[in-house]
Amino acid sequence: MPGQVTVTYFHHSGFMAAVEDTLLIFDYWRGENNNLTGATALSEADLKGYRQVLFFVTHEHPDHYDQVIYDFKHLNYVHYIIAEDMPMEANGDRIAAGDQRTYGGARVTAYGSTDLGVSFYVEVGGLHIFHAGDLNLWHWREESTLRQITQAENLYYAAVQPLIGKPIDVCMFPVDPRMGGMFEAGANHFIMTCKPRVFIPMHWQGRSEVAADFARRCRTKYTEGLALTKPRERAEITFDKNAINIHVYLAAEQREDVLKRRRRTENEDVVQRALDAFETGDPFAESDLPVDHITENQKKAE
């Protein structure tokens, strides 16, 4: 279905998504060292012009919950939607996994997590936006026992299962390199099973190269990867029937970064996958798998 969303990155797992006259703000956090100051910080000016502004807090971890969001509670069009298990002092409409609420033209559904709190699925303006919070496959493969890894996998698969088959136009999902080997396993599984149209890595622990590399590698015939790595970097994403148009802007210059402008159509996908298969010899180039199957060392050996 045609539609447009503008996604702005703040810090860590904090994003702002504007769809028509509704503004969604997820897990806003200024950072441990107050990374967001001045023009990069959220301000009342960002909220003006919208019929409603919905703040989401997936859980109470300090890197997802900044009480500065309540500086805007005096605005009558601002609402706070928070996980049911948030501390008592947190204000907002508490929601548990499986619950659904409607705010004007926005329908909010809470799904489970593999950590505290919930993940959020928002239907608004004909689009479907998903913010995972801390939903991820936290397997710590190089440190955990096989039994612990299996438990983590089972917990994760069960949490993701209710989302399979649901349309997801934009997804913000953890890609956390602290886990070491196979740190992107949860993201890969989510892309293969839920097939979001645009996947945006988050929670990458200040390592922007990890986000950029994964966004490049995760592209499939169903999913476009998009890395937003600088405070206030934003993407205007337009969904047509057979195409996705993405324009990325750097806030500091307030100009389009033409190197990050792209248009993706179904016909272009077919041609590109054929070229990729021919150039790399990759037998998986036309598959759904969101990973590179030929390592740099393998390429050198060839």
Side-chain angles (χ1 to χ4, degrees):
M1 177 179 290
Q4 184 178 74
V5 56
T6 298
V7 179
T8 302
Y9 172 68
F10 284 112
H11 178 66
H12 195 57
S13 298
F15 292 88
M16 180 167 65
V19 181
E20 296 180 344
D21 58 359
T22 297
L23 184 65
L24 316 173
I25 302 174
F26 297 96
D27 283 4
Y28 180 78
W29 177 50
R30 288 168 295 177
E32 187 175 4
N33 300 311
N34 200 22
N35 304 69
L36 301 178
T37 58
T40 61
L42 185 69
S43 71
E44 190 168 326
D46 292 309
L47 281 51
K48 289 182 178 179
Y50 292 97
R51 184 173 59 84
Q52 61 178 356
V53 176
L54 306 179
F55 279 90
F56 296 88
V57 182
T58 60
H59 62 289
E60 66 175 283
H61 285 164
D63 58 339
H64 293 256
Y65 171 47
D66 192 329
Q67 294 190 28
V68 73
I69 62 175
Y70 295 118
D71 287 354
F72 310 104
K73 64 183 180 181
H74 62 282
L75 302 172
N76 59 15
Y77 55 90
V78 169
H79 304 277
Y80 298 92
I81 303 114
I82 65 176
E84 185 182 48
D85 58 358
M86 288 288 292
M88 290 301 297
E89 66 269 16
N91 296 316
D93 296 339
R94 293 176 181 266
I95 187 169
D99 291 348
Q100 191 173 91
R101 307 281 173 81
T102 299
Y103 300 85
R107 183 163 60 180
V108 177
T109 305
Y111 284 90
S113 177
T114 47
D115 204 321
L116 299 177
V118 297
S119 52
F120 286 111
Y121 180 85
V122 185
E123 302 167 73
V124 58
L127 295 180
H128 306 82
I129 315 295
F130 180 72
H131 189 285
D134 264 358
L135 169 63
N136 195 12
L137 174 48
W138 300 108
H139 54 79
W140 308 96
R141 193 163 297 267
E142 296 171 355
E143 302 175 23
S144 302
T145 65
L146 180 60
R147 181 175 182 177
Q148 290 171 330
I149 293 171
T150 301
Q151 290 174 336
E153 289 175 342
N154 291 338
L155 182 65
Y156 172 72
Y157 299 150
V160 170
Q161 183 62 40
L163 287 157
I164 297 176
K166 292 190 173 295
I168 300 177
D169 295 296
V170 176
C171 164
M172 291 149 277
F173 196 96
V175 179
D176 193 328
R178 295 176 305 169
M179 286 190 289
M182 298 180 65
F183 68 88
E184 70 275 67
N188 284 337
H189 176 272
F190 192 88
I191 289 169
M192 286 189 289
T193 56
C194 295
K195 297 178 172 58
R197 297 180 73 185
V198 176
F199 181 97
I200 304 176
M202 66 180 187
H203 210 283
W204 26 265
Q205 302 299 324
R207 294 183 57 185
S208 59
E209 76 281 4
V210 169
D213 182 62
F214 185 79
R216 176 187 62 81
R217 293 189 292 111
C218 78
R219 191 174 189 264
T220 75
K221 64 182 179 181
Y222 300 109
T223 299
E224 181 68 53
L226 173 63
L228 300 176
T229 60
K230 299 178 179 63
R232 287 283 180 175
E233 190 172 11
R234 74 186 191 280
E236 292 181 359
I237 308 171
T238 303
F239 298 94
D240 296 324
K241 183 177 181 181
N242 297 312
I244 301 173
N245 294 281
I246 302 176
H247 289 190
V248 178
Y249 298 84
L250 300 178
E253 293 85 1
Q254 290 297 320
R255 63 175 176 80
E256 182 179 355
D257 179 358
V258 295
L259 296 178
K260 294 186 179 180
R261 183 177 60 199
R262 71 190 76 165
R263 175 177 171 83
R264 174 172 175 165
T265 67
E266 290 182 356
N267 288 337
E268 288 171 346
D269 281 348
V270 172
V271 173
Q272 187 61 53
R273 290 198 302 275
L275 288 173
D276 289 345
F278 177 77
E279 292 177 358
T280 67
D282 183 355
F284 296 99
E286 297 189 46
S287 78
D288 300 349
L289 296 175
V291 294
D292 288 341
H293 292 272
I294 299 182
T295 67
E296 290 300 319
N297 289 335
Q298 287 174 314
K299 289 179 182 178
K300 291 176 182 177
E302 294 173 355

